[in-house]
Amino acid sequence: MRGRKGPAEASDAPDVPKREAFRWHADLDAPGSATWYRSLDRVWNARVNRSHDGVSVEEQDHAPGSLLNWYRRLITLRRTRPDLASGDQAFPCAAQSPVLCVLRTMGTQQTLVLVNLSDAPAAPAIDANLSPRTFHLLAGEGATDAVLAPYAVRIVGTP
């Protein structure tokens, strides 16, 4: 969804490129691709999407580090960890921490979501009452209390 508004005119053409069509295939000319506005040269030529640009489902499907597969991992976690769907919620990091920490708990199961909200590497300032050693990595990279890259997400949990 990297589109942008086209030049002003007395039709809806400027809005067409704001939200370019979802890309199923690497090739923009593949069957089922949205090419209906190809005749609007001023819009078509200014589009962001290009064939084989790495953003289609076809291109991301088998790439482990792709955004598509990250979302699939998050969906799987939500489906398999009841604490994420309906558990209690707490924020076990210091308020001034650049890392947002959200702890979800249901019974003995806990999931800790760590999000570095800054443009610099940062470590979570986890409350001393919470033992990060009891968690294992569910998604992202690194140990529970390790430094997160800028804007990185790490999800850890108890078995």
Side-chain angles (χ1 to χ4, degrees), residues 4-7 9 11-20 36-50:
R4 55 189 171 270
K5 190 174 180 85
E9 61 180 83
S11 77
D12 67 344
D15 291 326
V16 171
K18 279 199 305 192
R19 289 171 298 279
E20 294 187 27
W36 59 268
Y37 61 99
R38 187 185 301 255
S39 62
L40 298 171
D41 288 341
R42 64 198 174 285
V43 174
W44 182 259
N45 294 335
R47 73 190 185 288
V48 174
N49 283 336
R50 300 286 185 224

Side-chain angles (χ1 to χ4, degrees), residues 29-127:
D29 292 319
S33 296
T35 58
W36 59 268
Y37 61 99
R38 187 185 301 255
S39 62
L40 298 171
D41 288 341
R42 64 198 174 285
V43 174
W44 182 259
N45 294 335
R47 73 190 185 288
V48 174
N49 283 336
R50 300 286 185 224
S51 289
H52 308 284
D53 59 4
V55 299
S56 69
V57 170
E58 181 180 16
E59 293 167 285
Q60 291 193 19
D61 196 28
H62 300 293
S66 72
L67 185 59
L68 173 65
N69 284 309
W70 172 251
Y71 282 133
R72 286 176 173 163
R73 181 73 185 124
L74 295 178
I75 290 166
T76 298
L77 282 174
R78 183 168 165 78
R79 286 182 180 157
T80 59
R81 297 191 62 88
D83 55 321
L84 284 175
S86 57
D88 294 330
Q89 182 167 288
F91 301 92
C93 281
Q96 69 276 13
S97 174
V99 177
L100 171 67
C101 305
V102 180
L103 178 66
R104 300 292 300 224
T105 304
M106 179 176 262
T108 60
Q109 188 172 53
Q110 294 183 313
T111 301
L112 179 61
V113 178
L114 305 165
V115 182
N116 183 355
L117 301 173
S118 75
D119 61 357
I126 299 173
D127 186 309

